[in-house]
Amino acid sequence: MSAPEPDYLRVNRAHWTKVNAEYTDAKAETAWNEPEISWGLWNTPETQVKVLPDVRGKDVVELGCGTAYVSAWLKRGGARRVVGVDITPAQLDTARRLNEKQGLGLELVEANAEATGLPGGAFDLAISEYGASIWCDPYKWIPEAARLLRRGGELVFLRNSTLSILCMPDEGAVQDRLQRPQRGMHRLEWADGPEIEFQLGHGDFVRILRDAGLELLDLVEIFAPEGAVRHPYYGEYMTVEWARRWPSEEMWRARKRD
C-alpha cells in the first residue's frame, strides 16, 4: 500500500494548474526557444552565473520541470538523455506538446520529485530551477536527487535567496527589513496563492547536502542587473530596487562524493 500523498503536493498541483492556464502555457514556447540559457526573475545569463557543468553526452534529470524549458535547453546543449519530472499534468501536457513539436526526445514523467521512482545512479546532473528547489521538502528531495546521481554527478538548483524570504511579509512585496525569524523556518504557506513552499537558511542546506553525500562546489547570489524590469507575472513580490541592493536569488552547485 503506497503512502498517502503529502498535502502540499495537492495544494501546489492546484496552484500550478491555475498558473499554467493563466501564464506558463502561453509563454512556454518562447522559453523553449531562448537562444541562450538564463536563470530566474532577471533572466541572468548562464555565461555570467557559470554554474552548469558541461552537459554534452550526459544524462540529466530535471526535478519539478514544469513546462520543461530548462530540459529543452540542456537537450539542445548536447545532453544525451533528459528526463523531466513534475506532479502537475497540465504543465506536463504543455511540455509534451512542445517536445513533440520540436522533436527533442525529452522523457516526461508525472511523479513527486521527493520520490521519483526512477532508478538510482542513472544521471550525471540533477537540476531544478524553482521546481523541487522550493516546492518540495529539501529534507526529502535533496536525498532523492543524490540517489539519482552517479558518483561525481552534480546537483544544480535555483531558489529564492534566504535574505529575500526573511524580508518577505505574508502578503505583499519584499521589504527592506526583516519580516520573519530564520530560526525554525521550513514550511511556508502563502495565503494569496494558496501555495506551500519550503525555505531554509544556508546552514541547513549545507547540512542536508552533506548528509546526502554531496559536497558544495559553489553558491552564486544573483542581483538585478542594470536596466532590469519587473517580471510580468512574478514581479509583484520583488522590486528591482530591492534586488539591486540585495541578492534576490541563489544558485547552488554540489557534487556527489566518490
Side-chain angles (χ1 to χ4, degrees), residues 33-248:
N33 291 326
E34 287 289 338
E36 65 175 324
I37 295 174
S38 62
W39 304 113
L41 284 176
W42 318 114
N43 295 114
T44 305
E46 167 58 21
T47 52
Q48 176 182 326
V49 179
K50 299 178 181 177
V51 76
L52 281 178
D54 186 354
V55 300
R56 289 173 294 181
K58 301 296 179 61
D59 298 325
V60 179
V61 61
E62 184 183 1
L63 299 172
C65 68
T67 58
Y69 57 86
V70 172
S71 290
W73 295 343
L74 298 181
K75 190 67 190 303
R76 287 202 307 270
R80 176 175 58 186
R81 178 192 181 204
V82 181
V83 179
V85 177
D86 203 272
I87 61 165
T88 305
Q91 294 220 292
L92 289 172
D93 285 346
T94 298
R96 291 187 179 105
R97 170 170 54 82
L98 293 172
N99 186 43
E100 182 175 353
K101 181 176 181 178
Q102 298 199 12
L104 287 185
L106 304 183
E107 300 173 41
L108 299 165
V109 178
E110 184 181 340
N112 176 10
E114 300 171 350
T116 63
L118 296 170
F123 298 95
D124 303 295
L125 173 67
I127 190 164
S128 179
E129 187 205 36
Y130 285 125
S133 55
I134 70 168
W135 304 102
C136 291
D137 189 337
Y139 289 98
K140 297 177 180 178
W141 82 262
I142 290 179
E144 174 67 356
R147 185 189 70 82
L148 294 173
L149 290 173
R150 300 180 175 116
R151 290 182 178 181
E154 296 191 18
L155 169 63
V156 172
F157 62 96
L158 174 68
R159 62 183 290 265
N160 309 91
S161 70
T162 294
L163 182 59
S164 72
I165 296 299
L166 295 178
C167 292
M168 190 179 298
D170 290 337
E171 295 186 57
V174 172
Q175 304 295 302
D176 63 356
R177 63 198 65 198
L178 298 176
Q179 301 293 312
R180 66 183 68 250
Q182 182 169 327
R183 175 178 283 184
M185 186 171 69
H186 179 216
R187 172 174 164 151
L188 299 178
E189 302 190 29
W190 305 109
D192 56 355
E195 54 192 272
I196 298 172
E197 293 180 8
F198 292 88
Q199 303 283 358
L200 297 173
H202 294 151
D204 291 320
F205 269 113
V206 169
R207 283 183 287 274
I208 293 172
L209 292 170
R210 181 193 63 202
D211 291 346
L214 299 162
E215 59 177 334
L216 181 62
L217 299 179
D218 204 358
L219 169 56
V220 180
E221 295 173 311
I222 298 176
F223 297 78
E226 291 285 347
V229 297
R230 277 198 181 199
H231 191 283
Y233 191 86
Y234 301 108
E236 71 277 1
Y237 81 88
M238 174 63 66
T239 67
V240 174
E241 292 74 22
W242 193 97
R244 290 289 307 280
R245 300 174 66 191
W246 296 289
S248 56

